[in-house]
Amino acid sequence: FWLFQALWRVSYPMMARLRALGVKNRPTVERFAGITAIATGAILAPLAASAHDLVPALFGHRWAPAAAPFPWASAGLAIGGPISVAAAGYLYSERDVRTPLAATAVNGAVWVAVTAVLIGPVGIAGVGVAWMCASWTESVVFTRALRRRAGVRLAHVLLVPVTVGYG
């Protein structure tokens, strides 16, 4: 989230400035999402792969079950993070504050609902699965808005970095 927080802070001013300079939106949003996906994969793939060894090494074996959500949450953030960073900045620069608000509300609602359903039968891993579902659902809200407003499609931009990171 440190990476995403930093990028969310600069995405709106960057997109607004580029818009003011007359730079085309579609390639900028796609490039921003692609670069963010590469950075995200470089951070999240090793974290997801090592979580079951890393958590007990750092916190002791009693905490080993706490690693279960990491791979799922990382899979969600690998797709959702780059989309939300690129989309939110662009949409704010277009004076669309409703879509990011709706995406955040959907994310929260899905995360809470899926966690409530899965925490009993799946355990703590259910929180990670819920995070993944929430991130992907949020991504749907953002990608629909991007497609409608700017003709931006991000699947081809994210396919290679996510596949390389998690393949």
Side-chain angles (χ1 to χ4, degrees), residues 3-161:
L3 171 67
F4 296 136
Q5 287 296 331
L7 292 174
W8 280 319
R9 284 197 177 134
V10 300
S11 68
Y12 166 63
M14 178 192 76
M15 293 290 188
R17 181 72 178 135
L18 291 173
R19 184 173 183 257
L21 292 172
V23 176
K24 296 198 183 264
N25 295 326
R26 183 172 172 245
T28 303
V29 172
E30 290 175 351
R31 188 170 40 252
F32 194 36
I35 291 168
T36 305
I38 292 167
T40 300
I43 294 168
L44 292 176
L47 177 63
S50 66
H52 290 286
D53 294 324
L54 189 61
V55 169
L58 291 174
F59 302 107
H61 289 288
R62 282 187 16 207
W63 288 94
F70 279 80
W72 299 104
S74 295
L77 287 173
I79 293 171
I83 290 173
S84 72
V85 166
Y90 167 73
L91 293 169
Y92 286 140
S93 76
E94 291 287 318
R95 296 185 179 103
D96 178 358
V97 296
R98 288 184 178 166
T99 301
L101 177 61
T104 301
V106 165
N107 179 307
V110 168
W111 196 356
V112 169
V114 174
T115 296
V117 169
L118 293 181
I119 198 77
V122 178
I124 193 71
V127 175
V129 173
W131 194 342
M132 179 184 70
C133 293
S135 292
W136 290 356
T137 306
E138 177 188 68
S139 297
V140 169
V141 174
F142 276 131
T143 55
R144 282 182 168 172
L146 286 174
R147 192 174 336 122
R148 185 179 65 247
R149 285 187 161 271
V152 174
R153 296 182 185 273
L154 295 177
H156 70 283
V157 174
L158 298 176
L159 182 63
V160 171

